[in-house]
Amino acid sequence: MNKETIKKEENNTSLRLSKRNLYFIAAGLVVVIIGFVLMAVGPDSGLHNFEPDIFSTRRVIVAPLIVFIGYVSILFAIWYKPKKSEDKHK
């Protein structure tokens, strides 16, 4: 290999995902973590007591929906392909 091809290869090595993609992924991870926290926080049923709050709407419907939205946003962030003009300016 000559020096010109090595320099071209060095210039072509960049992240496949742009900064915007990484921000979307980070936001999706935060949403997923919030969903899991909503599922976990609250009184727990023990061996000798039963807490009906484990079947609350927040734990059974809302939190899993938030987690699902977080995962979908992460997939969107991975698949999102920025326009060429956005890459040139960054």
Side-chain angles (χ1 to χ4, degrees):
M1 288 187 162
N2 58 16
K3 292 180 182 180
E4 292 177 15
T5 57
I6 292 173
K7 286 185 180 182
K8 285 181 184 178
E9 288 178 5
E10 289 176 0
N11 290 337
N12 288 337
T13 56
S14 64
L15 290 176
R16 297 286 182 198
L17 299 174
S18 68
K19 285 184 181 181
R20 179 173 282 174
N21 294 78
L22 296 177
Y23 290 139
F24 283 144
I25 291 172
L29 285 174
V30 169
V31 170
V32 168
I33 290 171
I34 289 171
F36 278 117
V37 167
L38 286 174
M39 272 191 262
V41 174
D44 292 329
S45 292
L47 187 59
H48 300 292
N49 62 340
F50 174 73
E51 290 291 333
D53 188 48
I54 62 172
F55 300 112
S56 68
T57 305
R58 175 183 51 96
R59 283 186 167 185
V60 177
I61 296 172
V62 176
L65 185 64
I66 291 174
V67 171
F68 179 74
I69 290 169
Y71 283 133
V72 168
S73 66
I74 291 172
L75 286 175
F76 170 76
I78 292 171
W79 287 336
Y80 177 74
K81 188 173 184 179
K83 297 176 184 175
K84 296 293 181 183
S85 61
E86 290 178 4
D87 285 339
K88 290 180 182 178
H89 295 298
K90 293 183 180 185

